[in-house]
Coordinates of all heavy atoms in Angstrom, one line a residue:
Chain A
R9 N -12.4 135.3 102.6 CA -13.3 136.2 103.5 C -14.7 136.1 102.9 O -15.7 136.3 103.7 CB -12.8 137.6 103.4 CG -11.5 137.8 104.1 CD -11.6 137.6 105.7 NE -12.7 138.3 106.2 CZ -12.7 139.5 106.6 NH1 -11.6 140.3 106.4 NH2 -13.8 140.1 107.1
R31 N -6.0 125.5 121.6 CA -7.4 125.3 121.4 C -7.9 126.2 120.2 O -7.7 127.4 120.2 CB -8.2 125.7 122.6 CG -7.8 124.8 123.8 CD -8.6 125.2 125.1 NE -8.1 124.3 126.2 CZ -8.8 124.1 127.3 NH1 -10.0 124.8 127.4 NH2 -8.3 123.4 128.3
Y33 N -11.5 126.6 117.3 CA -12.9 126.3 117.2 C -13.4 126.9 115.8 O -12.9 127.8 115.3 CB -13.6 127.2 118.3 CG -13.1 127.0 119.7 CD1 -12.0 127.7 120.1 CD2 -13.7 126.1 120.6 CE1 -11.5 127.5 121.4 CE2 -13.3 126.0 121.9 CZ -12.1 126.7 122.3 OH -11.7 126.5 123.5
Y35 N -17.2 128.1 114.4 CA -18.6 128.5 114.7 C -19.3 129.0 113.4 O -18.6 129.4 112.5 CB -18.7 129.7 115.7 CG -18.2 129.5 117.1 CD1 -16.8 129.7 117.4 CD2 -19.0 129.0 118.1 CE1 -16.4 129.5 118.7 CE2 -18.6 128.9 119.4 CZ -17.3 129.1 119.7 OH -16.8 128.9 120.9
Q37 N -22.5 131.7 112.3 CA -23.4 132.7 112.9 C -24.6 132.9 111.9 O -24.3 133.1 110.7 CB -22.7 134.0 113.1 CG -23.6 135.0 113.8 CD -22.8 136.4 114.1 OE1 -21.9 136.6 113.4 NE2 -23.4 137.1 115.0
G40 N -30.3 136.1 114.3 CA -31.2 135.6 115.3 C -30.9 134.4 116.0 O -31.6 133.9 116.9
L41 N -29.8 133.7 115.6 CA -29.5 132.4 116.2 C -28.2 132.5 117.0 O -27.8 131.5 117.6 CB -29.4 131.3 115.1 CG -30.7 130.9 114.4 CD1 -30.5 129.8 113.4 CD2 -31.8 130.5 115.5
G42 N -27.5 133.6 116.9 CA -26.2 133.7 117.6 C -25.1 132.9 117.0 O -25.2 132.5 115.8
L43 N -24.2 132.5 117.8 CA -23.1 131.5 117.4 C -23.3 130.1 117.8 O -23.7 129.9 118.9 CB -21.8 132.0 118.0 CG -21.0 133.1 117.2 CD1 -21.6 134.4 117.4 CD2 -19.6 133.1 117.6
L45 N -21.6 126.2 117.8 CA -20.3 125.6 117.6 C -20.4 124.4 116.7 O -21.3 123.6 116.8 CB -19.9 125.1 119.0 CG -18.6 124.4 119.2 CD1 -17.4 125.4 118.7 CD2 -18.4 123.8 120.6
Y48 N -14.5 121.6 117.5 CA -13.4 122.3 118.3 C -12.3 121.2 118.5 O -12.5 120.0 118.4 CB -13.9 122.9 119.6 CG -14.5 121.9 120.6 CD1 -13.8 121.5 121.7 CD2 -15.9 121.5 120.5 CE1 -14.4 120.6 122.7 CE2 -16.4 120.7 121.4 CZ -15.7 120.3 122.5 OH -16.3 119.4 123.4
F50 N -8.7 120.7 121.0 CA -8.0 121.2 122.2 C -6.5 121.0 121.9 O -5.7 121.5 122.7 CB -8.5 120.5 123.5 CG -9.7 121.1 124.0 CD1 -10.4 120.5 125.1 CD2 -10.4 122.2 123.4 CE1 -11.6 121.1 125.6 CE2 -11.5 122.7 123.9 CZ -12.1 122.2 125.1
L88 N -22.3 133.0 108.2 CA -21.0 133.7 108.5 C -20.3 132.7 109.4 O -20.8 132.2 110.4 CB -21.3 135.0 109.2 CG -20.1 135.9 109.4 CD1 -19.4 136.2 108.1 CD2 -20.7 137.2 110.1
F90 N -17.0 131.7 111.7 CA -15.9 132.2 112.4 C -15.0 131.1 113.0 O -15.5 130.1 113.5 CB -16.4 133.0 113.6 CG -17.0 134.3 113.3 CD1 -18.4 134.5 113.2 CD2 -16.3 135.4 112.9 CE1 -19.0 135.7 112.9 CE2 -16.8 136.6 112.6 CZ -18.2 136.7 112.6
S96 N -5.8 129.4 128.2 CA -6.3 128.5 129.2 C -7.4 129.0 130.1 O -8.0 128.3 130.8 CB -5.0 128.2 130.1 OG -4.5 129.4 130.7
Y97 N -7.6 130.3 130.0 CA -8.7 130.9 130.7 C -10.0 130.9 129.8 O -11.0 131.5 130.2 CB -8.4 132.4 131.1 CG -7.3 132.5 132.1 CD1 -6.0 132.8 131.6 CD2 -7.6 132.2 133.4 CE1 -5.0 132.9 132.6 CE2 -6.5 132.3 134.3 CZ -5.3 132.7 133.9 OH -4.3 132.8 134.8
N98 N -9.9 130.3 128.6 CA -10.9 130.2 127.7 C -11.4 131.6 127.2 O -12.5 131.8 126.8 CB -12.1 129.4 128.1 CG -12.7 128.6 127.0 OD1 -12.4 128.7 125.8 ND2 -13.6 127.7 127.4
E99 N -10.4 132.6 127.1 CA -10.7 133.8 126.5 C -10.5 133.5 125.0 O -9.5 133.1 124.5 CB -9.6 134.9 126.9 CG -9.7 135.3 128.3 CD -8.5 136.2 128.6 OE1 -7.4 135.8 128.5 OE2 -8.7 137.4 129.1
Q100 N -11.6 133.7 124.3 CA -11.6 133.3 122.9 C -11.3 134.6 122.0 O -11.8 135.6 122.2 CB -13.0 132.7 122.5 CG -13.2 131.4 123.2 CD -14.0 130.4 122.4 OE1 -14.6 130.7 121.4 NE2 -14.2 129.2 123.1
F101 N -10.5 134.3 121.0 CA -10.1 135.3 120.1 C -10.5 134.9 118.7 O -10.2 133.9 118.2 CB -8.5 135.5 120.1 CG -8.0 135.9 121.5 CD1 -7.8 134.9 122.4 CD2 -7.9 137.2 121.8 CE1 -7.3 135.2 123.7 CE2 -7.4 137.5 123.1 CZ -7.2 136.6 124.0
F102 N -11.3 135.8 118.1 CA -12.0 135.4 116.9 C -11.3 136.0 115.6 O -10.8 137.1 115.6 CB -13.5 136.0 116.9 CG -14.4 135.1 117.8 CD1 -14.3 135.3 119.1 CD2 -15.1 134.2 117.2 CE1 -15.1 134.5 119.9 CE2 -16.1 133.4 118.0 CZ -16.0 133.6 119.4
G103 N -11.4 135.2 114.5 CA -11.0 135.7 113.2 C -12.1 136.6 112.7 O -13.2 136.8 113.3
P104 N -11.8 137.2 111.5 CA -12.7 138.2 111.0 C -14.0 137.6 110.3 O -14.9 138.4 110.0 CB -11.9 138.9 109.9 CG -10.9 137.9 109.5 CD -10.6 137.1 110.7
G105 N -14.0 136.3 110.1 CA -15.2 135.7 109.5 C -15.0 135.4 108.1 O -14.4 136.1 107.3
R107 N -17.8 134.9 104.9 CA -19.2 134.9 104.5 C -19.4 133.9 103.4 O -18.8 134.1 102.3 CB -19.6 136.2 104.1 CG -21.2 136.4 103.8 CD -21.6 137.8 103.7 NE -21.5 138.6 104.9 CZ -22.3 138.4 106.0 NH1 -23.4 137.6 105.9 NH2 -22.1 139.2 107.0
Chain B
L8 N -33.3 140.3 122.8 CA -32.7 140.5 121.5 C -32.3 141.9 121.2 O -31.4 142.1 120.4 CB -33.7 139.9 120.4 CG -33.9 138.4 120.4 CD1 -34.8 138.1 119.3 CD2 -32.5 137.6 120.3
Y31 N -16.3 130.5 134.4 CA -16.1 131.9 133.8 C -17.3 132.2 133.0 O -17.9 131.4 132.3 CB -14.9 131.9 132.9 CG -13.5 131.8 133.6 CD1 -12.9 130.6 133.8 CD2 -12.9 132.9 134.0 CE1 -11.7 130.5 134.4 CE2 -11.6 132.8 134.7 CZ -11.1 131.6 134.9 OH -9.9 131.5 135.5
Y33 N -18.6 135.4 130.2 CA -17.9 136.4 129.3 C -18.9 137.3 128.7 O -20.1 136.9 128.5 CB -17.2 135.6 128.2 CG -16.2 134.6 128.6 CD1 -16.7 133.3 129.0 CD2 -14.8 134.9 128.7 CE1 -15.8 132.3 129.5 CE2 -14.0 133.9 129.1 CZ -14.4 132.7 129.5 OH -13.6 131.7 129.9
Y35 N -19.0 139.5 125.0 CA -18.3 139.8 123.7 C -19.1 140.8 123.0 O -20.3 140.9 123.1 CB -18.2 138.5 122.9 CG -17.2 137.6 123.2 CD1 -17.4 136.6 124.2 CD2 -15.9 137.6 122.6 CE1 -16.4 135.7 124.6 CE2 -14.9 136.7 122.9 CZ -15.1 135.7 123.9 OH -14.2 134.9 124.3
Q37 N -19.7 142.5 119.1 CA -19.6 142.4 117.7 C -20.1 143.6 116.9 O -21.2 143.9 116.9 CB -20.3 141.1 117.1 CG -20.0 140.9 115.7 CD -20.8 139.6 115.1 OE1 -21.9 139.4 115.6 NE2 -20.3 139.0 114.1
G40 N -20.0 143.8 110.6 CA -19.0 143.3 109.6 C -17.8 142.8 110.2 O -16.7 142.6 109.6
A41 N -17.8 142.7 111.6 CA -16.5 142.2 112.2 C -16.8 140.9 113.0 O -17.9 140.5 113.2 CB -16.0 143.3 113.2
G42 N -15.6 140.4 113.5 CA -15.7 139.3 114.4 C -16.1 139.7 115.8 O -16.3 140.9 116.1
L43 N -16.0 138.7 116.8 CA -16.4 139.0 118.2 C -15.1 139.4 118.9 O -14.0 138.9 118.7 CB -17.0 137.8 118.8 CG -18.5 137.6 118.6 CD1 -18.8 137.1 117.3 CD2 -19.0 136.6 119.7
Q44 N -15.3 140.4 119.7 CA -14.2 140.9 120.5 C -14.5 140.7 122.0 O -15.6 141.1 122.4 CB -14.0 142.4 120.2 CG -13.1 143.2 121.1 CD -13.3 144.7 120.9 OE1 -14.1 145.2 120.2 NE2 -12.4 145.4 121.7
L45 N -13.6 140.1 122.7 CA -13.8 140.0 124.2 C -13.8 141.3 124.8 O -12.9 142.1 124.8 CB -12.8 139.1 124.8 CG -12.8 138.8 126.2 CD1 -14.1 138.1 126.6 CD2 -11.6 138.1 126.7
Y48 N -14.6 139.6 131.3 CA -15.1 138.3 131.8 C -15.1 138.4 133.3 O -14.4 139.2 133.9 CB -14.3 137.1 131.3 CG -12.9 137.0 131.6 CD1 -12.5 136.4 132.9 CD2 -11.9 137.7 130.9 CE1 -11.2 136.3 133.2 CE2 -10.6 137.6 131.3 CZ -10.2 136.9 132.5 OH -8.9 136.9 132.8
I86 N -23.7 144.3 118.6 CA -24.4 143.1 119.1 C -23.5 142.6 120.3 O -22.3 142.5 120.2 CB -24.6 142.0 118.2 CG1 -25.3 142.5 116.9 CG2 -25.3 140.8 118.8 CD1 -25.4 141.4 115.9
F88 N -22.8 139.7 123.1 CA -23.0 138.2 123.4 C -22.6 137.9 124.9 O -21.4 138.2 125.2 CB -22.3 137.3 122.4 CG -22.8 137.4 121.0 CD1 -22.3 138.3 120.1 CD2 -23.7 136.5 120.6 CE1 -22.7 138.4 118.8 CE2 -24.2 136.6 119.3 CZ -23.7 137.5 118.4
R92 N -18.6 129.3 130.3 CA -17.7 128.2 130.1 C -18.1 127.1 131.0 O -18.1 127.2 132.2 CB -16.3 128.6 130.4 CG -15.3 127.5 130.3 CD -13.9 127.9 130.9 NE -13.0 126.8 130.7 CZ -11.8 126.8 131.3 NH1 -11.4 127.8 132.0 NH2 -10.9 125.8 131.1
Q93 N -18.5 126.0 130.4 CA -18.8 124.8 131.2 C -17.6 123.9 131.2 O -16.8 123.9 130.3 CB -20.1 124.1 130.6 CG -21.3 124.9 130.5 CD -22.5 124.2 129.9 OE1 -22.4 123.1 129.4 NE2 -23.6 124.8 129.9
G95 N -14.9 121.4 130.7 CA -14.5 120.5 129.6 C -15.1 120.7 128.3 O -14.9 119.9 127.4
T96 N -15.7 121.9 128.1 CA -16.3 122.1 126.8 C -15.9 123.5 126.4 O -15.2 124.3 127.0 CB -17.8 122.1 126.8 OG1 -18.3 123.2 127.7 CG2 -18.3 120.8 127.5
A97 N -16.3 123.8 125.1 CA -16.1 125.1 124.6 C -17.1 126.1 125.2 O -18.0 125.7 125.9 CB -16.2 125.1 123.1
L98 N -17.1 127.3 124.8 CA -18.0 128.3 125.4 C -19.4 128.0 124.7 O -19.6 127.6 123.6 CB -17.6 129.7 125.0 CG -16.3 130.2 125.6 CD1 -16.1 131.7 125.3 CD2 -16.3 130.0 127.1
I99 N -20.4 128.4 125.5 CA -21.8 128.4 125.0 C -22.3 129.8 125.0 O -22.2 130.5 126.0 CB -22.8 127.6 126.0 CG1 -22.2 126.2 126.3 CG2 -24.1 127.5 125.4 CD1 -22.1 125.3 125.1
F100 N -22.7 130.3 123.8 CA -23.1 131.6 123.6 C -24.5 131.8 123.6 O -25.3 131.0 123.2 CB -22.5 132.1 122.2 CG -21.1 132.4 122.1 CD1 -20.2 131.4 122.0 CD2 -20.6 133.7 122.3 CE1 -18.8 131.5 121.9 CE2 -19.2 134.0 122.3 CZ -18.3 132.9 122.1
G101 N -24.9 133.0 124.1 CA -26.4 133.4 123.9 C -26.6 133.9 122.4 O -25.6 133.9 121.6
K102 N -27.8 134.2 122.1 CA -28.1 134.7 120.7 C -27.7 136.1 120.4 O -27.8 136.5 119.3 CB -29.6 134.4 120.4 CG -30.0 133.0 120.4 CD -31.5 132.8 120.1 CE -31.8 131.4 119.9 NZ -31.4 130.4 120.9
G103 N -27.3 136.8 121.5 CA -26.9 138.1 121.2 C -28.0 139.2 121.5 O -29.1 139.0 121.1

Side-chain angles (χ1 to χ4, degrees):
Chain A
R9 293 294 313 278
R31 301 181 178 195
Y33 310 80
Y35 294 91
Q37 184 179 24
L41 294 179
L43 271 77
L45 182 65
Y48 62 102
F50 283 175
L88 188 55
F90 287 105
S96 57
Y97 296 102
N98 221 350
E99 295 174 303
Q100 295 206 358
F101 300 88
F102 284 79
R107 187 167 295 281
Chain B
L8 293 182
Y31 289 90
Y33 306 81
Y35 283 82
Q37 184 181 30
L43 277 71
Q44 171 194 2
L45 178 64
Y48 64 90
I86 304 175
F88 292 91
R92 176 190 184 188
Q93 297 178 355
T96 69
L98 296 186
I99 308 297
F100 286 83
K102 292 179 172 51

